[in-house]
Structure formats: structure tokens, C-alpha cells
Amino acid sequence: MTIRSLEELVACAVALGAENVDGLSVAEKELIMQTHVGRRDVAALREQIATGIDPLGDAFCALRSAEERRPQGQTYTPALIVDSMINWAKAQGEPARVVDPGVGSGRYLLKAAVAFPDAVLIGADLDPIAALMARANLNAAGHADRARVELVDYRALMVEGIEGRTLYVGNPPYVRHHGITQDWKQWLSATAALHGYKASQLAGLHVHFFLATLQHATTNDFGAFVTSSEWLDVNYGALVRQMLLGKLGGDSVHVVDPAAMPFDANTTAAITCFNVGRQVESITLQSVNTLPELGALSNGHAVAKERLIEAPRWMPLLRVTPKLPEGYVELGELARVHRGTVTGANAVWVTHRDTTKLPESLLQPSVTKARELFAAGSVLQDTSTLRVVIDLPTELDELDPDERRKVDAFLRRPEVKVAKQGFVASNRKAWWSVGLRSPAPILATYMARRPPAFVRNAADARHINIAHGLYPREAMSVHALAKLTEHLRVSVTLGQGRTYAGGLTKFEPREMERLPVPTMELLNDDGYTPKVGQ
């Protein structure tokens, strides 16, 4: 049966018995009244639901595009992910109640109903169409007598105390902080403080839902959420990381390779499992390339709590660092990696030599685009094709009178006055001084859909924040620098970086410092030749 409109979808939900599930809201009743329900032959839909298929949810995703669903963060979960999470829950024991914080069409509750035949089923959602779909599915599958669907924000859901454990499982809505109202941001800060944590109001909605779960739950409750994986690395995700190491009782985190495209939205996926009140000694971390590899979420490697506390980001910990072969060390032992300087306003501070009247001494030829490094080959020989960065000294009194006059004229330009008000400029020691680093002997790109370009900087070019600079801890000969550069060019792969949805791979400075490289002895050996795979 093909469902051709949202009105027809509502009608099918009613025909499947949506009104038989407790908690029908005023908004849902009004939606039903506005719909020409009529009689519908839903036998085929009922048969599909009985076999575990979700025809209503599939129709909803086809009728309402991912773009239209984005404001409410509606990303419907593939069956393989639902199965993995419910199978993990089964291994934890029998819950008396199952709560899905963003129920959608009820995919999690339907699987949980089969796995836990005696559990009460509760779902929350803000979309009346989603709530009706969940009710219809639950009724058609024969679970209406123990189910309740609430049209309510999960953060405001009333979760009463019960005998027995509650399983919290689902896919919290993916909404960035821009779509969250100020009153709920204040709720986040205040509620986090009640539990002894500090929250950032830049947090996405999934962070709110982790905190709401801690608020709702009691000791020995447990759960599994699939969310964007960004909380593992970003500053606002610190709240989730702290809760997992503390009261939320983190058990494991399983990250799905973005290439698997787990959702119909441009976001990565991390499945986070927890046992509330568990004394955390370690958390198991796993990275998988395909959904079938998830299994029952029982694989991965344990990372000690102490290491997790110290780590500013958890994504790098997902990889098991292979033992370095004899004669190799981490790059960080030989060189520091620094991201280039942030100008705060490239349109003002990055220019062509012939478009400015400033003294030549204040114009620093610089790598300002990643493609300049990709095009350079193994060595950047000259700076003739590069733009310049206007790098004024912090003490303008150092300039001679003619130079000072030209600089003052530049600083009076309207676009420069606007740049002065920017966040970066206003937080510099001197707002007019970009403060470029000294030339790095090796330059590297760090974000692309291809391995980084490593280029020996024979031209002594500066670089801004589109590139990393590799600065040897001790003086290196030109020979050793060339060997190190060539080794990095032929050995580094995309798999050593952090991959985002769509295949974009990023190497943070500390991640780049963990790359295996030859020792100084090998680099100084005339007979050593870097080879692919070394």
C-alpha cells in the first residue's frame, strides 16, 4: 500500500488503532478531526508491522524531506542500529519499563516490546504525526495495553518512580544550539549545576537529553542512545563525558564510520551505553566501518577512567595505537605541530602585494589556501605566487616615521575599523597585530578528502590556520627534513585522521603528532629511503 500524503498517513494511523494507546493529546485529536479519515484497508500495513517493518515511518520520511524534518531533529534509525541497542539492553537484564525520549514512529518501543514482554512502554515526542504513528504501530503489534505515548518535551516528561529498573533507549533529536530556546538553555545550566556539572549553552539537544535522563533516572537504571558523535570531541560535549565518567555510569561508546551514512542527515553516529550509578573504572570504545559490525555492542577496547579524564577529546582514543616498529617514534617526539595563526578577518589581513601601500617589511608571504600546498609538491621553493599577510608589530612606535604614517592610514580604513570589533582582533594583545608564527620547516594540510600534503618549506613562507606547521624540537639538517617530509607524504593515510560525514577527514595537531616516523638516526642515514606503508 502506498501512502501519498501526510493526511493519508494520519488516516492510516487511525485505522490501525492509534486511538487505543493511552495518552492521546489534544493536538493529536485535533489532527484527527481535521483529517478525512474514512475507511482504509490497512491489512497490508498490519502484516508489515507484524514482521518488524515500519511502513508508517518509511512513508513519513518519504513525505517529509530531511530538510523539513531538520528543525525538530527527526532522523529515523536504521533497523540494524535499533537491533544492536536492544540486544545490548537484553544482556543487561530485564527492565520493568522502557522509555524512548524521541519516539518517532516507535521503532525502539516495538523492538523492546518483543525483547521485554512484561515491560511498560513509554514514548515521548513533540510531533503529533509521529505520536500517532507510534500509537498505530504499538496497537497493530498488540502492545497497546502496556504502552503510553506522551506529546511532550522529554525534558519535561513526568517519570514516576517504580519498582524495578527503567531502560532509556532511543535516538534523541539532533538539533543544534541555534534551534534551542533561551529558557531551555538556562534549564541546561541550572540542571547541570544541581548535579555538580558545568554546561555550555552551545550544546546540542542530544546533550540536553543525556542530562534529562540523569534527572529522570535512579540508580541501576540503564540505557543506550544513538546521537551525533561530535560530543566526544567538542567543548560542549564535556558535560556528556563528565556524566558518563560520573553519575550516568558510562559502559561503552560505539562510533559508526560516517561513510556508512547511518542516517538520512549529514551527521555521524555514536551509540552510547550506560548503567546509572555504576562505578566507572573504564569505558569500552569501538569504531566500526559498517552497521553489521555493531553486533550486540559487546566489542571494543577498554580505556581507563584516568586516561578518559585526562583526554580533552575521546575520538582519538577509539583507535588502538599499533605498536611502533623498531626504529620508529611518534612525530611528536621529533617535532611540535602548530595550527597556523587565525587572522580574524582574512579579507582585511590577507592581500596581494600590489594592492597595499604598506612597507614591504610588514607583508609576510604566506600559505593561505590548502591548494597551494597540494600544488607545491614535496618542496615549496618560492613565494612568488603566494599572497601576503599584513603582520604589524604590537609596538607601532618601533616603526620609522614614514612607515608609521602608512600604517596609520591603513588602520583608518573603514574595513579595518570593522575588523577591530571582531572577536579575534579584540582579544589579541594588540588588535592590529596578527602575530604570525615563525616559518615552519614543514607545512601540512589538515582537512580534506585526501591524505594531508606534507611540504618542505624551503621558501620560509608563513602560514595561517588553513595549515599546520611542523617545528622540530631540535635542529634538523636539510637532508633529515627532506627524509621526514617524504616519509609523511608516502605513509600517512586518511584512516589515521578523524573522518566526518561525507568523507571529510581532519588531523588535529595532537593527532598529527601521534603519526609514526623514523628516528633521527634513520633520517640521518644516507641509505634510508621512505617507502609506502612504512
Side-chain angles (χ1 to χ4, degrees), residues 40-203:
R40 291 289 192 283
D41 182 2
V42 292
L45 294 177
R46 200 181 298 276
E47 289 178 9
Q48 288 180 297
I49 294 168
T51 61
I53 298 173
D54 180 19
L56 300 184
D58 291 341
F60 179 75
C61 291
L63 293 167
R64 186 178 285 178
S65 69
E67 184 77 21
E68 292 172 310
R69 286 182 273 117
R70 185 170 297 131
Q72 290 195 51
Q74 295 171 307
T75 54
Y76 280 51
T77 316
L80 284 173
I81 292 180
V82 178
D83 289 342
S84 292
M85 294 166 68
I86 297 300
N87 287 336
W88 173 84
K90 286 174 66 176
Q92 310 306 306
E94 190 82 14
R97 177 174 60 190
V98 179
V99 175
D100 183 343
V103 71
S105 57
R107 294 181 178 182
Y108 284 95
L109 290 187
L110 289 171
K111 293 286 185 180
V114 176
F116 309 114
D118 297 322
V120 172
L121 310 170
I122 297 176
D125 209 292
L126 285 176
D127 186 343
I129 296 180
L132 286 171
M133 288 192 297
R135 296 180 194 282
N137 277 326
L138 288 165
N139 185 72
H143 310 304
D145 60 336
R146 57 189 176 112
R148 181 179 180 85
V149 176
E150 296 272 6
L151 194 69
V152 65
D153 190 303
Y154 174 64
R155 292 165 291 187
L157 179 68
M158 296 298 296
V159 181
E160 299 176 351
I162 60 168
E163 291 291 330
R165 304 169 73 196
T166 297
L167 166 64
Y168 295 87
V169 64
N171 175 5
Y174 182 71
V175 177
R176 293 188 180 277
H177 78 93
H178 314 85
I180 300 174
T181 60
Q182 190 58 39
D183 57 337
W184 278 119
K185 289 185 177 185
Q186 291 171 355
W187 171 90
L188 180 75
S189 298
T191 305
L194 287 175
H195 292 277
Y197 300 116
K198 185 176 180 181
S200 166
Q201 295 195 357
L202 300 180

